[in-house]
């Protein structure tokens, strides 16, 4: 089963896609530009999830406050990784924090991400819908400023130079920089800060521009 088929076959994704379609059409009636409608939809979703996002910020702040204690444990048990993990877990439990507490908004965004992908692939009005003339001329297709012969890089194909994925990557790193007062020392936090944005960059590089616009705007 292909990615398109697996996404479309999910009842939850189908329900969310229909809901997003209604909201998108409502915003389109206010301002007849589907790119602007996607931006308004993004703002609406961000406001809807603000309480959970605020909790994730608080969790991130608590993790940052624990950095000195975590560094002490890492120095003390650097020769015993198993003991270090046990002490770290005990510290998290004592302080009432989770190293993955800041990931909740991202996890909740994933069903919306898949639903929007489904919508962009099936909603007829979005095919050929332009956002910015000369740049994003079709929100249901990837944007490109330069195209060239396809280059196969292992499992990734590069056939065009696109701007939106780089904007998305830059805004993601900027968001992490603003929300964190210091570089993360915990492996899970470091993974979410540095690795996940790169993973999403490669995943979204050849995706519909409307989807990348949504992910960039939500940053």
């Amino acid at each position: 089963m292909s990615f398109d088929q697996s996404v479309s076959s999910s009842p939850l994704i189908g329900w969310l896609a229909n809901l997003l379609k209604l909201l998108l059409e409502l915003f389109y009636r206010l301002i007849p530009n589907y790119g602007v409608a996607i931006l308004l939809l993004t703002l609406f979703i961000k406001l809807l999830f603000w309480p959970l996002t605020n909790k994730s910020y608080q969790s991130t702040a608590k993790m940052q406050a624990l950095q000195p204690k975590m560094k002490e444990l890492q120095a003390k048990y650097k020769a015993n990784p198993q003991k270090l993990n046990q002490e770290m877990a005990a510290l998290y439990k004592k302080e009432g924090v989770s190293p993955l507490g800041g990931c909740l908004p991202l996890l909740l965004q994933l069903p919306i991400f898949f639903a929007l992908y489904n919508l962009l692939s099936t909603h007829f009005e979005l095919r050929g819908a332009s956002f910015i003339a000369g740049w994003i001329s079709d929100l249901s297709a990837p944007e490109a400023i330069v195209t060239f012969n396809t280059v196969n890089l292992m499992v990734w194909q590069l056939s065009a130079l696109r701007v939106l994925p780089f904007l998305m990557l830059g805004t993601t790193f900027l968001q992490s920089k603003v929300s964190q007062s210091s570089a993360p020392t915990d492996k899970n936090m470091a993974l979410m800060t540095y690795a996940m944005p790169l993973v999403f960059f490669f995943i979204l590089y050849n995706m519909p521009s409307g989807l990348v616009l949504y992910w960039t705007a939500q940053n």
Side-chain angles (χ1 to χ4, degrees):
M1 182 181 290
S2 68
F3 178 77
D4 288 3
Q5 291 172 331
S6 62
V7 169
S8 300
S9 62
S10 170
L12 174 61
I13 299 304
W15 180 83
L16 281 175
N18 288 331
L19 179 59
L20 292 178
K21 180 180 178 181
L22 291 175
L23 291 171
L24 199 63
E25 290 177 343
L26 174 63
F27 292 132
Y28 181 78
R29 292 192 188 99
L30 296 176
I31 302 178
N33 181 302
Y34 273 109
V36 176
I38 289 175
L39 295 179
L40 292 175
L41 177 64
T42 307
L43 177 61
F44 175 80
I45 292 173
K46 291 294 287 186
L47 291 174
L48 185 65
F49 282 102
W50 167 245
L52 291 174
T53 303
N54 189 41
K55 286 185 178 180
S56 76
Y57 289 154
Q58 293 174 358
S59 178
T60 300
K62 289 180 180 179
M63 286 296 297
Q64 291 174 4
L66 289 180
Q67 292 294 315
K69 293 182 179 180
M70 293 165 61
K71 289 181 180 179
E72 289 178 5
L73 291 176
Q74 289 168 348
K76 184 177 180 180
Y77 299 106
K78 63 181 179 181
N80 191 341
Q82 184 176 0
K83 181 65 174 177
L84 174 61
N85 290 333
Q86 292 174 351
E87 292 295 327
M88 284 287 198
L91 178 63
Y92 296 150
K93 184 177 181 180
K94 178 183 177 182
E95 300 293 338
V97 299
S98 170
L100 299 179
C103 306
L104 183 59
L106 174 62
L107 295 177
L108 291 174
Q109 286 279 358
L110 289 180
I112 297 175
F113 170 86
F114 291 127
L116 188 57
Y117 175 84
N118 189 354
L119 180 61
L120 289 166
S121 302
T122 59
H123 191 23
F124 180 77
E125 285 78 1
L126 287 171
R127 297 178 184 178
S130 175
F131 175 38
I132 299 177
W135 176 28
I136 304 177
S137 56
D138 186 354
L139 288 163
S140 67
E143 52 85 24
I145 56 172
V146 177
T147 58
F148 42 79
N149 293 330
T150 301
V151 178
N152 292 312
L153 303 174
M154 298 180 68
V155 296
W156 192 54
Q157 291 185 334
L158 183 65
S159 60
L161 178 61
R162 314 190 194 284
V163 175
L164 266 179
F166 284 99
L167 289 176
M168 182 203 68
L169 184 63
T171 54
T172 304
F173 280 130
L174 181 60
Q175 184 187 50
S176 298
K177 184 73 173 178
V178 170
S179 62
Q180 295 179 0
S181 59
S182 60
T185 57
D186 180 78
K187 291 182 179 180
N188 291 321
M189 291 185 65
L191 177 66
M192 294 303 301
T193 301
Y194 301 115
M196 288 301 292
L198 290 173
V199 169
F200 272 93
F201 171 80
F202 288 111
I203 291 175
L204 290 174
Y205 193 84
N206 292 316
M207 288 287 190
S209 55
L211 191 63
V212 188
L213 177 64
Y214 162 77
W215 203 259
T216 303
Q218 68 91 26
N219 283 337

